[in-house]
Short mmCIF file of all heavy atoms in Angstrom, two decimals:
data_model
loop_
_atom_site.label_atom_id
_atom_site.label_comp_id
_atom_site.label_asym_id
_atom_site.label_seq_id
_atom_site.Cartn_x
_atom_site.Cartn_y
_atom_site.Cartn_z
N GLU A 1 37.97 246.90 70.84
CA GLU A 1 39.19 247.75 71.14
C GLU A 1 39.67 247.55 72.53
O GLU A 1 40.87 247.52 72.81
CB GLU A 1 38.76 249.26 70.90
CG GLU A 1 39.90 250.22 71.12
CD GLU A 1 39.49 251.66 71.10
OE1 GLU A 1 38.29 251.93 71.31
OE2 GLU A 1 40.37 252.52 70.81
N THR A 2 38.77 247.44 73.47
CA THR A 2 39.12 247.28 74.89
C THR A 2 39.82 245.94 75.10
O THR A 2 40.84 245.80 75.75
CB THR A 2 37.87 247.35 75.80
OG1 THR A 2 37.29 248.62 75.65
CG2 THR A 2 38.23 247.13 77.21
N ARG A 3 39.29 244.91 74.41
CA ARG A 3 39.91 243.53 74.54
C ARG A 3 41.32 243.55 73.94
O ARG A 3 42.22 243.00 74.44
CB ARG A 3 39.00 242.49 73.91
CG ARG A 3 37.78 242.14 74.67
CD ARG A 3 37.09 240.86 74.16
NE ARG A 3 36.65 241.07 72.76
CZ ARG A 3 35.39 241.50 72.46
NH1 ARG A 3 34.63 241.86 73.45
NH2 ARG A 3 35.00 241.62 71.27
N ALA A 4 41.39 244.23 72.74
CA ALA A 4 42.68 244.29 72.10
C ALA A 4 43.71 245.02 72.96
O ALA A 4 44.91 244.65 72.97
CB ALA A 4 42.53 244.94 70.70
N LYS A 5 43.22 246.10 73.61
CA LYS A 5 44.09 246.84 74.47
C LYS A 5 44.54 245.99 75.71
O LYS A 5 45.69 246.09 76.08
CB LYS A 5 43.37 248.12 75.01
CG LYS A 5 44.24 249.00 75.93
CD LYS A 5 45.40 249.62 75.23
CE LYS A 5 46.00 250.73 76.00
NZ LYS A 5 46.44 250.35 77.32
N ARG A 6 43.68 245.18 76.19
CA ARG A 6 44.00 244.32 77.28
C ARG A 6 45.05 243.25 76.92
O ARG A 6 46.00 243.03 77.56
CB ARG A 6 42.75 243.65 77.81
CG ARG A 6 43.03 242.83 79.10
CD ARG A 6 41.70 242.53 79.81
NE ARG A 6 40.78 241.76 78.95
CZ ARG A 6 39.60 242.32 78.54
NH1 ARG A 6 39.30 243.55 78.92
NH2 ARG A 6 38.83 241.65 77.80
N VAL A 7 44.82 242.68 75.70
CA VAL A 7 45.82 241.71 75.16
C VAL A 7 47.16 242.35 74.96
O VAL A 7 48.25 241.81 75.31
CB VAL A 7 45.27 241.14 73.82
CG1 VAL A 7 46.41 240.25 73.14
CG2 VAL A 7 44.05 240.29 74.08
N LEU A 8 47.19 243.62 74.41
CA LEU A 8 48.40 244.32 74.23
C LEU A 8 49.11 244.61 75.53
O LEU A 8 50.34 244.42 75.62
CB LEU A 8 48.10 245.59 73.49
CG LEU A 8 49.30 246.58 73.23
CD1 LEU A 8 50.34 245.90 72.41
CD2 LEU A 8 48.81 247.85 72.60
N ASP A 9 48.33 245.06 76.52
CA ASP A 9 48.92 245.33 77.88
C ASP A 9 49.52 244.00 78.46
O ASP A 9 50.62 244.10 79.11
CB ASP A 9 47.91 245.95 78.78
CG ASP A 9 47.47 247.40 78.32
OD1 ASP A 9 48.22 247.99 77.57
OD2 ASP A 9 46.47 247.88 78.80
N ASP A 10 48.75 242.92 78.27
CA ASP A 10 49.27 241.67 78.90
C ASP A 10 50.56 241.28 78.11
O ASP A 10 51.55 240.80 78.85
CB ASP A 10 48.26 240.56 78.64
CG ASP A 10 47.02 240.77 79.58
OD1 ASP A 10 47.15 241.58 80.55
OD2 ASP A 10 45.98 240.15 79.33
N ALA A 11 50.61 241.56 76.82
CA ALA A 11 51.79 241.11 76.07
C ALA A 11 53.04 242.03 76.50
O ALA A 11 54.12 241.52 76.71
CB ALA A 11 51.59 241.29 74.57
N LYS A 12 52.77 243.29 76.66
CA LYS A 12 53.83 244.16 77.19
C LYS A 12 54.26 243.78 78.58
O LYS A 12 55.50 243.78 78.84
CB LYS A 12 53.30 245.56 77.20
CG LYS A 12 53.17 246.22 75.81
CD LYS A 12 52.65 247.66 75.94
CE LYS A 12 52.50 248.35 74.65
NZ LYS A 12 52.03 249.70 74.72
N ALA A 13 53.36 243.46 79.44
CA ALA A 13 53.66 243.03 80.83
C ALA A 13 54.50 241.76 80.83
O ALA A 13 55.46 241.61 81.53
CB ALA A 13 52.44 242.91 81.61
N GLY A 14 54.14 240.79 79.90
CA GLY A 14 54.86 239.55 79.77
C GLY A 14 56.29 239.77 79.30
O GLY A 14 57.25 239.14 79.87
N VAL A 15 56.46 240.64 78.32
CA VAL A 15 57.78 240.86 77.87
C VAL A 15 58.64 241.49 78.92
O VAL A 15 59.81 241.08 79.13
CB VAL A 15 57.75 241.78 76.58
CG1 VAL A 15 59.16 242.35 76.23
CG2 VAL A 15 57.06 241.14 75.40
N LYS A 16 58.08 242.43 79.68
CA LYS A 16 58.88 243.07 80.72
C LYS A 16 59.15 242.16 81.90
O LYS A 16 60.23 242.09 82.44
CB LYS A 16 57.98 244.25 81.27
CG LYS A 16 58.82 245.12 82.30
CD LYS A 16 57.97 246.31 82.70
CE LYS A 16 58.86 247.21 83.67
NZ LYS A 16 59.47 246.53 84.76
N LYS A 17 58.15 241.29 82.13
CA LYS A 17 58.32 240.26 83.22
C LYS A 17 59.50 239.34 82.91
O LYS A 17 60.38 239.23 83.81
CB LYS A 17 57.02 239.43 83.34
CG LYS A 17 57.14 238.24 84.33
CD LYS A 17 55.91 237.44 84.27
CE LYS A 17 56.06 236.17 85.09
NZ LYS A 17 54.87 235.32 85.03
N TYR A 18 59.60 238.83 81.72
CA TYR A 18 60.65 237.87 81.39
C TYR A 18 62.04 238.57 81.19
O TYR A 18 63.04 237.99 81.42
CB TYR A 18 60.27 236.99 80.23
CG TYR A 18 59.28 235.92 80.65
CD1 TYR A 18 57.93 236.07 80.30
CD2 TYR A 18 59.66 234.74 81.38
CE1 TYR A 18 56.91 235.18 80.76
CE2 TYR A 18 58.74 233.86 81.79
CZ TYR A 18 57.37 234.00 81.49
OH TYR A 18 56.42 233.13 81.88
N GLU A 19 61.89 239.79 80.79
CA GLU A 19 63.19 240.56 80.68
C GLU A 19 63.72 240.81 82.13
O GLU A 19 64.94 240.67 82.33
CB GLU A 19 62.94 241.89 79.98
CG GLU A 19 64.18 242.71 79.81
CD GLU A 19 63.93 244.05 79.10
OE1 GLU A 19 62.75 244.36 78.67
OE2 GLU A 19 64.91 244.82 78.88
N ASP A 20 62.87 241.14 83.03
CA ASP A 20 63.30 241.36 84.40
C ASP A 20 63.81 239.99 85.04
O ASP A 20 64.86 240.03 85.79
CB ASP A 20 62.11 241.88 85.30
CG ASP A 20 61.75 243.36 84.92
OD1 ASP A 20 62.57 244.02 84.29
OD2 ASP A 20 60.65 243.68 85.27
N LEU A 21 63.14 238.97 84.79
CA LEU A 21 63.61 237.61 85.24
C LEU A 21 64.97 237.28 84.66
O LEU A 21 65.84 236.72 85.43
CB LEU A 21 62.56 236.52 84.92
CG LEU A 21 61.23 236.58 85.75
CD1 LEU A 21 60.26 235.59 85.21
CD2 LEU A 21 61.55 236.36 87.22
N ALA A 22 65.15 237.57 83.38
CA ALA A 22 66.43 237.19 82.77
C ALA A 22 67.57 238.05 83.46
O ALA A 22 68.65 237.54 83.70
CB ALA A 22 66.43 237.55 81.26
N LYS A 23 67.28 239.35 83.74
CA LYS A 23 68.29 240.17 84.40
C LYS A 23 68.56 239.59 85.83
O LYS A 23 69.76 239.56 86.23
CB LYS A 23 67.74 241.57 84.53
CG LYS A 23 67.66 242.33 83.26
CD LYS A 23 67.12 243.71 83.46
CE LYS A 23 67.00 244.48 82.12
NZ LYS A 23 66.46 245.79 82.29
N LYS A 24 67.54 239.13 86.55
CA LYS A 24 67.79 238.68 87.86
C LYS A 24 68.59 237.34 87.80
O LYS A 24 69.44 237.08 88.72
CB LYS A 24 66.45 238.39 88.57
CG LYS A 24 65.67 239.71 88.96
CD LYS A 24 64.34 239.34 89.60
CE LYS A 24 63.65 240.65 90.03
NZ LYS A 24 62.34 240.30 90.69
N ALA A 25 68.25 236.51 86.81
CA ALA A 25 68.98 235.26 86.68
C ALA A 25 70.50 235.54 86.39
O ALA A 25 71.38 234.84 86.93
CB ALA A 25 68.39 234.44 85.57
N LEU A 26 70.79 236.53 85.57
CA LEU A 26 72.20 236.88 85.25
C LEU A 26 72.86 237.35 86.52
O LEU A 26 74.00 237.09 86.75
CB LEU A 26 72.24 237.88 84.15
CG LEU A 26 71.94 237.37 82.72
CD1 LEU A 26 71.89 238.57 81.68
CD2 LEU A 26 72.97 236.34 82.27
N LEU A 27 72.16 238.29 87.22
CA LEU A 27 72.75 238.76 88.44
C LEU A 27 73.00 237.73 89.52
O LEU A 27 73.95 237.81 90.29
CB LEU A 27 71.86 239.82 89.08
CG LEU A 27 71.65 241.17 88.28
CD1 LEU A 27 70.63 242.09 88.90
CD2 LEU A 27 73.04 241.91 88.23
N ALA A 28 72.21 236.60 89.43
CA ALA A 28 72.41 235.53 90.37
C ALA A 28 73.41 234.51 89.81
O ALA A 28 73.70 233.50 90.47
CB ALA A 28 71.06 234.76 90.59
N GLY A 29 73.97 234.80 88.62
CA GLY A 29 74.95 233.88 88.03
C GLY A 29 74.40 232.68 87.37
O GLY A 29 75.07 231.76 87.06
N ASN A 30 73.01 232.69 87.13
CA ASN A 30 72.40 231.56 86.41
C ASN A 30 72.07 231.92 84.99
O ASN A 30 70.97 232.30 84.53
CB ASN A 30 71.08 231.23 87.16
CG ASN A 30 71.25 230.76 88.57
OD1 ASN A 30 72.26 230.04 88.81
ND2 ASN A 30 70.40 231.22 89.44
N GLU A 31 73.07 231.87 84.17
CA GLU A 31 73.00 232.15 82.71
C GLU A 31 72.01 231.26 82.01
O GLU A 31 71.30 231.65 81.09
CB GLU A 31 74.39 232.04 82.06
CG GLU A 31 74.37 232.61 80.64
CD GLU A 31 75.78 232.63 80.02
OE1 GLU A 31 76.75 232.82 80.79
OE2 GLU A 31 75.92 232.48 78.80
N GLY A 32 71.99 229.93 82.42
CA GLY A 32 71.03 228.99 81.75
C GLY A 32 69.58 229.45 81.96
O GLY A 32 68.77 229.43 81.03
N ASP A 33 69.36 229.80 83.23
CA ASP A 33 67.94 230.31 83.55
C ASP A 33 67.68 231.59 82.68
O ASP A 33 66.56 231.80 82.20
CB ASP A 33 67.81 230.60 85.03
CG ASP A 33 67.77 229.29 85.78
OD1 ASP A 33 67.64 228.22 85.21
OD2 ASP A 33 67.99 229.42 87.07
N ALA A 34 68.73 232.45 82.62
CA ALA A 34 68.49 233.72 81.89
C ALA A 34 68.19 233.40 80.36
O ALA A 34 67.41 234.04 79.77
CB ALA A 34 69.77 234.50 81.94
N ARG A 35 68.79 232.41 79.81
CA ARG A 35 68.49 232.00 78.42
C ARG A 35 67.03 231.62 78.24
O ARG A 35 66.39 231.97 77.31
CB ARG A 35 69.42 230.90 77.99
CG ARG A 35 70.85 231.29 77.74
CD ARG A 35 71.71 230.17 77.32
NE ARG A 35 73.09 230.49 77.01
CZ ARG A 35 73.53 230.99 75.87
NH1 ARG A 35 72.60 231.17 74.88
NH2 ARG A 35 74.79 231.32 75.68
#
């Protein structure tokens, strides 16, 4: 259960990370990077 929770937290963190990066790329005018 602990390992599964850690994998889940990592997956959530990864989704948030790339969502934040996509936003930053758009704000910087880099739509290709955002994609």
Side-chain angles (χ1 to χ4, degrees):
E1 181 187 25
T2 300
R3 285 193 297 270
K5 180 65 165 58
R6 187 165 54 248
V7 170
L8 176 61
D9 290 342
D10 290 344
K12 288 180 178 180
V15 169
K16 187 176 184 308
K17 172 186 175 182
Y18 285 101
E19 183 178 356
D20 290 342
L21 288 174
K23 289 178 180 180
K24 289 179 180 181
L26 286 174
L27 291 173
N30 297 320
E31 187 174 330
D33 291 344
R35 287 179 178 275

